[in-house]
Amino acid sequence: IPLSFFGGIGGASSKGVLVKGSNYLEALSQTKYVVCDKTGTLTKGVFEVTHVQAETWLSNEELLETAAYAESYSNHPISRSLKEAYGKPIDTSRVSEVEERSGHGVSAVIGGKKVSAGNTKLMKMLGISYAAPQKIGTEVHVAINGNYAGYILISDIVKPNAKSAIAGLKAAGVKQVVMLTGDTKPVAEAVASELGVDVVKSELLPADKVTEVEYLLTAKGTKEKLAFVGDGINDAPVLSRADLGIAMGALGSDAAIEAADIVLMDDDPAKIATAINISRKTLRIVHQNIVFALVIKFACLGLGAIGFVNMWWAIFADVGVMIIAVLNATRA
């Protein structure tokens, strides 16, 4: 039995899926709910600025420069895309009093001006009225000295195999695929519709993701398992809380990889369905070995008790059965 699981773990690793223990491989076969983070999991996490709309008292170039300076100390994919779109060296000596608000945005003093850049939640928190973009994209709203300065739209690229990955999960017997994201509702629903996700929850803070997973854990059946798939440092608490935590290994944060039970080494979400199928094949082999060994051993015990089998049959029932079981285990 252990050899069958070792074979399954080895088979999964040859496909680029690192399973950290046989108990996780067994749990995979019972997975009926898969919850995915959007950015970096179903999408590439490669953002690009698609639209800049400044207020009349500011130029688009100045708005982009202000946002890039405000985000200069952040390594978030959205921050990197703003700095790349600005495309000029950033003099960080002009930036001070940086305050990053998780799930909201960032505030900083730039050249003596108080700048806030983030999503609509940040604007609401600061009591600043903002414009509603007509196009779909991740919104970065900017305020300077408490006055609304405009917005920047950023788009993420869906992974080319994400749609087939969702279809593969459903074919593997997963009841429900849920997508959680901090993005706005229109962006989240557009991605969910494109990929065929069953349920989408948008505009979530990192703590809200834990709450959503907690709710799903209480709603599912006792023998059903829930897997969460994520890649960011904010996903680490959710990865730990789910029955199975699956992390993206290539671009995922160290915290996510450490907290996860399973790591996808090439960030391909289609490998989740592959891992589930490997898990189920491994469990079939385990059950075959158990049944085969017990049937032969009990048959030889019974027949031996009434004198129908000799020592050679006893040797076969012990060593022979073991060799056959080992050979069967290598199929995993």
Side-chain angles (χ1 to χ4, degrees), residues 254-272:
D254 291 344
I257 292 167
E258 182 68 28
D261 309 311
I262 298 166
V263 182
L264 307 180
M265 299 311 295
D266 56 2
D267 288 0
D268 183 357
K271 292 290 177 69
I272 304 168

Side-chain angles (χ1 to χ4, degrees), residues 10-11 16 25 27-28 30 47 52-53 70 87 121 139-140 203 213 241 247 261 268 286-287 289 302:
L25 190 69
L28 254 180
Q30 302 168 331
F47 291 88
V52 181
Q53 185 63 56
K121 291 177 186 174
E139 304 167 18
V140 178
E203 300 181 16
V213 168
R241 184 62 193 90
D261 309 311
D268 183 357
V286 166
H287 294 142
N289 282 348

Side-chain angles (χ1 to χ4, degrees), residues 119-294:
N119 55 23
T120 55
K121 291 177 186 174
L122 180 64
M123 296 295 111
K124 288 174 183 175
M125 191 171 74
L126 298 173
I128 298 169
S129 57
Y130 55 90
Q134 299 303 309
K135 299 177 182 178
I136 291 177
T138 300
E139 304 167 18
V140 178
H141 295 273
V142 181
I144 301 173
N145 289 333
N147 298 310
Y148 185 66
Y151 65 83
I152 299 167
L153 286 183
I154 298 169
S155 296
D156 194 3
I157 304 165
V158 173
K159 288 183 178 178
N161 51 356
K163 187 173 182 177
S164 60
I166 302 298
L169 286 172
K170 291 179 180 178
V174 172
K175 282 184 180 178
Q176 198 174 69
V177 180
V178 182
M179 186 179 82
L180 306 181
T181 178
D183 247 334
T184 58
K185 190 174 181 180
V187 174
E189 288 183 345
V191 173
S193 175
E194 182 181 347
L195 299 180
V197 172
D198 299 308
V199 180
V200 58
K201 301 284 185 178
S202 56
E203 300 181 16
L204 300 175
L205 298 174
D208 297 332
K209 292 180 183 179
V210 180
T211 306
E212 290 292 339
V213 168
E214 290 278 5
Y215 169 75
L216 289 167
L217 284 169
T218 55
K220 70 178 179 63
T222 51
K223 290 189 177 181
E224 296 175 332
K225 300 294 183 185
L226 180 144
F228 179 83
V229 192
D231 74 312
I233 192 166
N234 289 334
D235 297 328
V238 205
L239 288 164
S240 300
R241 184 62 193 90
D243 293 323
L244 275 170
I246 304 175
M248 298 292 161
L251 294 174
S253 71
D254 291 344
I257 292 167
E258 182 68 28
D261 309 311
I262 298 166
V263 182
L264 307 180
M265 299 311 295
D266 56 2
D267 288 0
D268 183 357
K271 292 290 177 69
I272 304 168
T274 303
I276 290 173
N277 290 328
I278 289 171
S279 168
R280 287 179 181 160
K281 180 178 180 179
T282 303
L283 264 292
R284 281 199 302 272
I285 291 169
V286 166
H287 294 142
Q288 286 167 8
N289 282 348
I290 292 170
V291 172
F292 172 70
L294 291 179

Side-chain angles (χ1 to χ4, degrees), residues 38-58:
K38 181 181 80 70
T39 306
T41 303
L42 297 176
T43 62
K44 290 183 177 180
V46 179
F47 291 88
E48 54 185 30
V49 173
T50 54
H51 186 70
V52 181
Q53 185 63 56
E55 293 294 286
T56 53
W57 53 274
L58 195 71

